[in-house]
Amino acid sequence: MAITISDVAQEAGVSISTVSKVLNGWTTISPATKERVQAAIQKLNYTPNARAVNFARQNTMNIVFLTALTQNEAYKNPHMFDIMCGVQNALAETSYSMTLVDTSQENHPGETVTRVISQKCADAIVVHGSAISEETAELLIKEKYPHIVIGHPSFSNQLCWIDTNHTLAGEFAAEHMISCGYTDTSFIGGKRTDTISVQRQKGFLGLMHKYGYQVSEDHILYTDSSIAESFQAALSLLESSHRPRAIICENNMIALGVSKAIEKSGLRVPEDIAFLTFDVYPYSAIIDPKPTVIDINMYDMGRQAGMMILHKLAHPDLQIQSFTTLPLLIQGETTQIIRSSPVSSSSHQL
């Protein structure tokens, strides 16, 4: 039969509430009483119920990771899992656990956050960008609930958030192309409403303009990020009278379509046409030849989010709004230096 807190109280000759106070570190209990209670705990080999102790302390030692989990989410949103693993890694160094909570079945925006807050099942929430809405943001701010949002929300807000600087990643891509001598470069992105794609395109165009290279409108293409649509977009570029010397692919799926279009056109990479993509994961490993990549370490970003939420718990008034995790160029076989240029790959000021 399991030993209970009542057994410890009886053995020590004190009340149950006194044992509870000793377990929770109350300073109002005399040293002699603490010793009797500790002796009873050791004698009976009593193990306190962690949940009961946390309840008495008014915390759960649990962090909720809030995200949308629809079917095939691993393929549609692969970076989320790297981020989630990074958060868990940071929490694993403490006594905190993490609970994954899905928002995809909500009847109305914000109901999941309302439930988490009202049930007091977590001390804080890490919100993935797929789960943030204006209603959720309003609840978190109104309740002053400890949180960190992964990804800069697209609406005006007072939330705590971290993000990677996708505009800077676009600049890195443009800088690499110029340093190789590819000044006639095209950009194939996602939808016009895709925030990350828009930011990467903005960085690319901005740096090209800075060095005096104009990118024609017919070299900026938008797709639904599918292989099929990216293939057709790239094919139209490659068969045009003004074929670009290089292509920047906003994500791996687009890069797959571009790679297939280049193969169909019978062009050599990188001799006839060069290209690069963003993000190592999930498809760059199956693209042949091995692509040059502008990568963002999403695991590190998740780890930083985990550390920030712990910092936020220790300092509730702390406001966090920052970009983190710098892009990294990984040289592959799809770009090469063809002539000198006014910018070198090491010139970017970080």
Side-chain angles (χ1 to χ4, degrees):
M1 185 174 178
I3 301 298
T4 68
I5 193 171
S6 297
D7 298 325
V8 173
Q10 184 175 357
E11 176 67 28
V14 298
S15 66
I16 293 175
S17 64
T18 298
V19 176
S20 178
K21 290 176 181 178
V22 171
L23 291 173
N24 286 286
W26 283 44
T27 58
T28 55
I29 307 300
S30 68
T33 301
K34 287 181 182 178
E35 287 181 11
R36 290 208 312 276
V37 171
Q38 293 294 348
I41 288 172
Q42 292 181 11
K43 179 180 178 180
L44 300 176
N45 197 25
Y46 171 68
T47 302
N49 183 292
R51 289 191 175 185
V53 171
N54 290 335
F55 180 78
R57 290 176 176 169
Q58 295 299 298
N59 60 31
T60 65
M61 301 304 292
N62 182 48
I63 304 293
V64 158
F65 188 99
L66 198 69
T67 188
L69 291 172
T70 58
Q71 188 174 12
N72 297 321
E73 194 69 30
Y75 300 98
K76 294 184 292 183
N77 193 6
H79 295 305
M80 181 193 70
F81 293 93
D82 260 354
I83 293 169
M84 187 168 60
C85 290
V87 173
Q88 172 58 34
N89 178 266
L91 298 181
E93 297 174 1
T94 71
S95 299
Y96 276 93
S97 59
M98 185 178 76
T99 302
L100 183 62
V101 175
D102 178 29
T103 63
S104 64
Q105 302 300 315
E106 286 187 336
N107 294 314
H108 55 83
E111 71 172 346
T112 306
V113 167
T114 300
R115 184 174 69 251
V116 170
I117 293 175
S118 63
Q119 292 179 353
K120 299 180 179 179
C121 58
D123 298 332
I125 298 179
V126 175
V127 187
H128 185 261
S130 62
I132 195 62
S133 65
E134 293 192 46
E135 292 82 359
T136 297
E138 184 178 344
L139 280 166
L140 292 171
I141 297 302
K142 179 182 177 182
E143 297 295 331
K144 298 181 179 180
Y145 203 80
H147 67 274
I148 189 80
V149 178
I150 299 179
H152 185 187
S154 59
F155 50 86
S156 178
N157 66 88
Q158 299 178 33
L159 294 165
C160 292
W161 56 263
I162 65 167
D163 198 1
T164 185
N165 193 330
H166 297 292
T167 302
L168 181 62
E171 293 178 5
F172 269 52
E175 178 185 79
H176 175 70
M177 289 307 202
I178 295 172
S179 70
C180 288
Y182 304 122
T183 55
D184 185 6
T185 303
S186 173
F187 186 98
I188 301 181
K191 295 179 179 179
R192 295 176 187 268
T193 54
D194 185 325
T195 302
I196 293 176
S197 181
V198 169
Q199 290 173 352
R200 287 173 171 174
Q201 182 195 105
K202 178 182 176 182
F204 160 68
L205 292 175
L207 199 78
M208 293 295 286
H209 178 75
K210 175 181 176 181
Y211 284 99
Y213 301 110
Q214 299 300 316
V215 181
S216 60
E217 289 188 9
D218 60 346
H219 279 187
I220 303 297
L221 282 74
Y222 301 91
T223 71
D224 62 0
S225 289
S226 68
I227 296 175
E229 196 162 306
S230 303
F231 170 82
Q232 291 298 331
L235 204 59
S236 68
L237 274 177
L238 299 175
E239 293 177 349
S240 69
S241 58
H242 179 204
R243 187 181 80 200
R245 184 61 183 82
I247 300 173
I248 292 179
C249 309
E250 191 275 321
N251 61 51
N252 282 195
M253 193 73 82
I254 292 172
L256 274 173
V258 168
S259 178
K260 290 179 179 295
I262 294 172
E263 183 179 2
K264 182 176 177 61
S265 299
L267 298 173
R268 298 171 301 162
V269 179
E271 291 83 1
D272 300 323
I273 183 78
F275 72 93
L276 67 71
T277 184
F278 293 87
D279 310 320
V280 168
Y281 190 75
Y283 303 117
S284 67
I286 64 174
I287 297 173
D288 185 31
K290 182 180 178 181
T292 297
V293 176
I294 304 295
D295 189 39
I296 304 295
N297 190 333
M298 292 298 180
Y299 181 89
D300 179 64
M301 185 172 162
R303 179 170 167 75
Q304 290 191 49
M307 292 188 291
M308 285 181 180
I309 198 63
L310 293 171
H311 196 43
K312 176 73 175 173
L313 284 167
H315 306 278
D317 294 330
L318 181 67
Q319 180 72 353
I320 301 168
Q321 291 187 340
S322 66
F323 291 104
T324 182
T325 308
L326 290 172
L328 173 68
L329 172 70
I330 302 175
Q331 181 67 56
E333 300 168 353
T334 58
T335 62
Q336 65 180 5
I337 296 175
I338 59 174
R339 67 173 180 269
S340 60
S341 65
V343 58
S344 69
S345 59
S346 61
S347 68
H348 206 108
Q349 298 299 311
L350 304 183

